[in-house]
Amino acid sequence: MTTFTALTTLPGKTPAENLGEAMENLSPEPTGVGVFEMEDGSGLWEVGGYFTEPPDDTALALLAAAFGAQPFVVSEVPETDWVAHVRRELAPVSAGRFFVYGSHDADKVPPEAEPLLIEAAMAFGTGHHGTTLGCLRALDRLAGEGFVGQNVVDIGCGTAVLAMAAARIWPGTVLASDIDEVAVDVARTNARANGLEDRVLCVEAAGFDAPALNDASPFDLIFANILKGPLIALAPDMARHLQPGGFAILSGILNEQADEVISVYSAAGINLVHREQIVDWTTLTLATIAR
C-alpha cells in the first residue's frame, strides 16, 4: 500500500505539539502523527503526518500558516519491506570487544567478540549511529583500563544495547530505563534474545525517577545516550546518583554542543576524562572525584 508523508518544521515544542494535535483532525485523517525535536541544535521541531491517501494540500497550507510553520512537503512513499531493507543496509558493527549484529549475520560473529544481538526490526540504537558506537567504545576503553562496573545503569536505554554490553563483561544486574513504554518493551525483548533477561532489569522511568533506580543508587557507571537538553537538565540528578570515583558516559551530543555539556557537568562535580568525536557526534566520559 502506498503511503504519503507531510512534513514541516517550526520553532518551539509547544507550537509543534499543538500543530501535531491539529493535524489529527484533518480529512483524510492521518494514520499517525509524529512530533520530534531536530538534533542539529537549531531549536526547530519536525511535525509529520502519515496518510494512506493523498492529504489535502489546502488544509495543510492553512495549518502551516496558522501555526507559523514552514510549508508542508508532501511525498509519496513506495511500498517497501523495511525490515528486509534494514537488514541489507545494517552491516554488523565492531566496537572494541563488542560485536553488534542481526540474526541474519549470526554466522559472522567473531569467536573472541562479545556478541550483542539487535534485530533489524528494532533498529533504534544498533551501534551504527555515532552516539551508540561512541558509548560502546568508551565502555570498552574503561574496561581495558581495568575498571569493573559493580552497579551500572543505562538512562534512556532505547534497545538496551549499552546495558547488555555492560552485562556481557561484568557480573551483577544492570539497570536499563527509558521514558518510552515501547522502548522498555523492546529492551526487555532484546535482553531475552541475548540470554540476559536475568541480568538486565528494564524499567519505565523519566531520568532516575523510579523506585528501582533510587534503591540501587549510587551507581559507579551511568550511561546516558540521549540529547543535549535532557543531559543538561539531568546533571544535578546525575551528581546525586553517581558515587565518588564513578564514571558517566554521555552521548547524543553534537560536536559543537560538547563544551557546554562539559561545563555544566564540571560545575556539578563531574569532570571530563575523555572525549571522542565520530562524524557529527561527541561521546564524553566523565568522572567524579574519589573521596
Side-chain angles (χ1 to χ4, degrees):
M1 179 174 62
T2 300
T3 301
F4 298 86
T5 62
L7 302 173
T8 186
T9 58
L10 71 166
K13 178 181 180 181
T14 298
E17 290 177 341
N18 290 340
L19 174 54
E21 185 175 346
M23 286 187 70
E24 295 177 356
N25 297 318
L26 287 172
S27 181
E29 183 179 352
T31 58
V33 173
V35 179
F36 305 98
E37 185 177 15
M38 304 290 284
E39 296 185 1
D40 58 3
S42 65
L44 292 175
W45 288 68
E46 181 179 74
V47 180
Y50 301 84
F51 302 80
T52 56
E53 54 186 298
D56 186 327
D57 289 337
T58 301
L60 289 174
L62 289 172
L63 276 181
F67 286 90
Q70 292 295 312
F72 277 91
V73 176
V74 178
S75 304
E76 182 177 335
V77 182
E79 287 188 69
T80 304
D81 183 342
W82 288 109
V83 171
H85 175 75
V86 170
R87 284 179 172 175
R88 289 192 298 271
E89 295 296 322
L90 295 186
V93 171
S94 292
R97 73 195 68 195
F98 302 108
F99 188 83
V100 186
Y101 70 101
S103 59
H104 56 288
D105 284 319
D107 59 331
K108 298 177 182 177
V109 179
E112 72 281 3
E114 296 289 351
L116 298 167
L117 170 63
I118 304 290
E119 289 295 4
M122 300 173 177
F124 56 100
T126 59
H128 293 79
H129 197 276
T131 59
T132 309
L133 179 59
C135 289
L136 288 171
R137 287 181 178 177
L139 173 60
D140 180 70
R141 183 173 52 254
L142 279 181
E145 293 170 354
F147 175 75
V148 177
Q150 303 289 336
N151 194 18
V152 181
V153 64
D154 181 4
I155 302 292
C157 63
T159 59
V161 64
L162 302 177
M164 293 192 300
R168 278 276 185 241
I169 61 173
W170 296 322
T173 300
V174 177
L175 288 168
S177 71
D178 202 288
I179 196 170
D180 188 323
E181 181 182 358
V182 174
V184 175
D185 288 340
V186 168
R188 289 182 178 132
T189 298
N190 285 332
R192 189 162 49 249
N194 284 269
L196 294 169
E197 63 269 30
D198 295 330
R199 302 276 322 288
V200 176
L201 174 61
C202 305
V203 299
E204 185 177 348
F208 293 92
D209 188 18
L213 301 184
N214 283 296
D215 291 347
S217 179
F219 300 96
D220 58 1
L221 174 61
I222 300 173
F223 295 104
N225 180 15
I226 41 181
L227 291 171
K228 184 199 82 169
L231 282 174
I232 286 176
L234 199 61
D237 273 352
M238 190 83 72
R240 283 192 292 270
H241 290 281
L242 189 61
Q243 72 180 42
F247 292 92
I249 295 176
L250 312 182
S251 199
I253 307 163
L254 291 164
N255 295 335
E256 61 269 22
Q257 299 171 340
D259 287 342
E260 181 181 357
V261 176
I262 292 168
S263 177
V264 169
Y265 273 78
S266 178
I270 309 173
N271 299 306
L272 181 67
V273 173
H274 187 274
R275 66 193 291 174
E276 180 180 10
Q277 292 185 1
I278 302 176
V279 191
D280 296 327
W281 300 93
T282 293
T283 298
L284 304 174
T285 303
L286 307 103
T288 57
I289 297 173
R291 292 173 185 164

